[in-house]
Amino acid sequence: MSDTTKKGDGTTKEQQPRRRQARGERRIAQLLHAAARVFCTTGYTAASTNAIAREAGVSPGTLYQFFPNKEAIAIELGDRLMHEMREAYGEALAPVDPATPLEEAIGSAVDWFMAFNTDHPVFFALMHGPDIPGRMAEAHEQLHTTVVGRIEALLASLMPGAAPADVTRTAHVCLGIYKAGLELVLAHEGAERAAYIRETKDVLIRYLEPLVGDRLGRA
Amino acid sequence: MSDTTKKGDGTTKEQQPRRRQARGERRIAQLLHAAARVFCTTGYTAASTNAIAREAGVSPGTLYQFFPNKEAIAIELGDRLMHEMREAYGEALAPVDPATPLEEAIGSAVDWFMAFNTDHPVFFALMHGPDIPGRMAEAHEQLHTTVVGRIEALLASLMPGAAPADVTRTAHVCLGIYKAGLELVLAHEGAERAAYIRETKDVLIRYLEPLVGDRLGRA
DNA sequence: CCAGAATGCGAGTGACCACTCGTGTTTGTC
DNA sequence: GACAAACACGAGTGGTCACTCGCATTCTGG
């Protein structure tokens, strides 16, 4: 009972972020980089903290100087990725210029997300595994609903008369198509990778084209 | 050295399948059923053999009376599923009647596979996890290439002039679309599930329609 | 230059898990 | 009914892994 993180005195200082030296910040970045590599190759659960420490060239004790536990490493990694994503997020989905042709809108959005994910394959590894820690699952869920919401907003202008449930379903299908395409894209390189990006766009365009067709037909 | 499974005498009897009683066969079925439930909820790696035994209502020792190790449980489960699948496999993809309209062909194939996977959710759980044991990964790979090969054969008649690489890529995209649809289908129930099956078919039809259009245009 | 904090180490600790073993019970066969 | 084999049990065993601890080293403010 009353086992909050409050300290004894009146001030609720639940965190004293332990003043870091430049060396510490460097180690953290180094450890996160190593963790990304290990998570990519073995997945989250199979990745051992000792392996991460070894990959970073430090001792297990050093790792725990900067992260309270294994989950915190994934959390911090996910948070940094999320932050980096949001920095340029609006560029990908926000501008819903109705004048933009569907092909172009889908093309740029897919290009942007594909580039982000191929640059940071950890993102997919952390989000996709069935072995994500509890806190990570929340973040994943949150991102998922956010993205679906954005897609819904885009679709709403294309499907003016549709029931909300239909719009939601269509948004989920679009995201599913993208994920399937991403998996294929990540599994290939060079020209083949580019071809799969092209295919992903085509699938989305052909799936959504009839909706636009209706709108244009009435316009 | 020479640590083969040969016995001392000349005969290389590396297996004496241990005569089973009816009770044993029942226990095996019971254990596989329990394993399916546990694998579905926790995934393969996170599933403990003790949990499987508990779910089946037997002791850990009893489990190891019938399976040499944890992987063997997944293997046997996968093998039985594969066998059951192949029993009715031809019905789903084999009959490539060129007279069948694309919609109908895709519709029946998707219906069949969706029904199989919703009846046996373990199949998806075992095939999809990043934590599959080595032997299981082989089986997965094999099934994957088999299915892709079948789809390629179907597509070949639709894309007569296309390069083999293009046909292969299209086949991979089709399978990816199906998997994405399956994930959405398994995440919903009742009417929503049916609606997602419908969407999956639509995505595939609209993706492949231009190919058929070419053929029909020339016919 | 010197306290004290931050950093770094790696052998250890406790928990968990796949798997085993000794022993007792049930079943099929003659 | 008697014997052997199959079945069943559950406490144990060895290994792995997340995480800790005591101690050495490096930085920072005064």
Side-chain angles (χ1 to χ4, degrees):
Chain A
M1 61 189 80
S2 79
D3 193 9
T4 61
T5 48
K6 284 185 181 180
K7 272 303 181 65
D9 55 306
T11 64
T12 61
K13 53 184 310 187
E14 57 188 12
Q15 50 172 353
Q16 46 196 84
R18 186 175 189 165
R19 203 167 146 263
R20 294 256 174 248
Q21 301 181 354
R23 186 172 32 142
E25 296 292 350
R26 253 180 284 129
R27 276 273 180 268
I28 290 178
Q30 193 179 29
L31 283 164
L32 287 176
H33 204 238
R37 283 197 296 273
V38 177
F39 287 155
C40 269
T41 56
T42 69
Y44 174 77
T45 34
S48 81
T49 55
N50 291 17
I52 295 173
R54 203 181 319 120
E55 178 80 18
V58 302
S59 86
T62 298
L63 185 152
Y64 282 92
Q65 198 91 41
F66 302 101
F67 298 99
N69 51 49
K70 180 177 167 182
E71 180 174 353
I73 304 173
I75 299 288
E76 179 64 23
L77 200 51
D79 279 356
R80 296 201 176 190
L81 250 13
M82 288 278 198
H83 186 259
E84 183 171 347
M85 192 173 197
R86 282 190 213 284
E87 267 187 359
Y89 186 39
E91 302 171 11
L93 276 182
V96 205
D97 185 357
T100 312
L102 181 68
E103 277 199 36
E104 200 175 314
I106 290 176
S108 60
V110 169
D111 277 335
W112 192 89
F113 279 103
M114 287 289 182
F116 182 85
N117 276 285
T118 48
D119 279 351
H120 307 287
V122 219
F123 196 74
F124 186 74
L126 280 183
M127 289 296 170
H128 206 61
D131 51 359
I132 35 184
R135 179 82 163 58
M136 203 72 197
E138 289 175 35
H140 174 241
E141 203 72 24
Q142 187 186 335
L143 174 66
H144 190 271
T145 53
T146 302
V147 173
V148 167
R150 293 274 189 131
I151 300 176
E152 279 177 341
L154 293 193
L155 291 177
S157 64
L158 298 181
M159 309 165 65
D166 292 338
V167 178
T168 302
R169 197 182 311 116
T170 305
H172 276 109
V173 172
C174 286
L175 188 54
I177 291 171
Y178 168 75
K179 281 189 193 172
L182 176 58
E183 198 154 1
L184 288 167
V185 165
L186 289 176
H188 295 82
E189 296 200 346
E192 268 304 289
R193 171 171 291 187
Y196 276 109
I197 294 177
R198 179 74 253 148
E199 292 296 304
T200 303
K201 291 176 190 172
D202 281 350
V203 175
L204 283 169
I205 291 167
R206 289 175 196 165
Y207 172 58
L208 294 177
E209 224 163 24
L211 306 179
V212 185
D214 280 3
R215 194 182 56 151
L216 289 183
R218 291 172 189 168
Chain B
M1 59 188 77
S2 79
D3 193 8
T4 62
T5 48
K6 285 185 182 181
K7 273 303 181 67
D9 54 310
T11 64
T12 62
K13 54 184 308 186
E14 58 187 10
Q15 51 172 352
Q16 47 197 84
R18 185 175 191 166
R19 202 172 145 261
R20 294 256 174 248
Q21 300 180 352
R23 185 170 37 141
E25 296 292 349
R26 254 181 282 130
R27 275 271 182 268
I28 290 178
Q30 194 179 29
L31 283 164
L32 287 176
H33 204 239
R37 282 196 298 270
V38 177
F39 286 156
C40 268
T41 57
T42 69
Y44 174 77
T45 35
S48 81
T49 55
N50 290 17
I52 295 174
R54 204 180 320 120
E55 177 81 19
V58 302
S59 88
T62 298
L63 187 152
Y64 283 92
Q65 198 93 40
F66 302 102
F67 299 99
N69 51 47
K70 181 178 166 182
E71 181 175 351
I73 304 174
I75 300 288
E76 179 63 23
L77 199 51
D79 278 356
R80 296 200 176 191
L81 251 14
M82 289 279 199
H83 186 261
E84 183 170 347
M85 192 172 198
R86 281 190 215 284
E87 267 187 359
Y89 186 39
E91 303 172 10
L93 275 182
V96 206
D97 186 356
T100 312
L102 182 67
E103 278 199 36
E104 198 175 317
I106 289 177
S108 60
V110 169
D111 277 335
W112 192 89
F113 278 103
M114 288 288 182
F116 182 86
N117 276 286
T118 50
D119 279 350
H120 308 288
V122 220
F123 196 74
F124 186 74
L126 280 182
M127 289 297 169
H128 206 61
D131 51 359
I132 35 184
R135 178 81 164 60
M136 203 72 196
E138 288 175 35
H140 175 240
E141 202 72 24
Q142 186 187 334
L143 174 66
H144 191 270
T145 52
T146 301
V147 173
V148 167
R150 293 275 189 131
I151 301 176
E152 279 177 340
L154 294 194
L155 291 176
S157 64
L158 298 180
M159 309 166 65
D166 292 338
V167 178
T168 301
R169 197 183 312 116
T170 305
H172 277 109
V173 171
C174 287
L175 189 53
I177 292 171
Y178 168 75
K179 281 190 195 173
L182 176 57
E183 199 152 1
L184 289 167
V185 165
L186 290 177
H188 295 82
E189 296 199 348
E192 268 305 288
R193 172 172 289 186
Y196 275 109
I197 293 177
R198 179 73 252 147
E199 292 297 304
T200 303
K201 291 177 190 172
D202 281 350
V203 175
L204 282 169
I205 290 168
R206 290 175 195 165
Y207 173 58
L208 294 178
E209 225 161 24
L211 305 180
V212 186
D214 280 5
R215 195 181 55 152
L216 290 183
R218 290 171 190 168

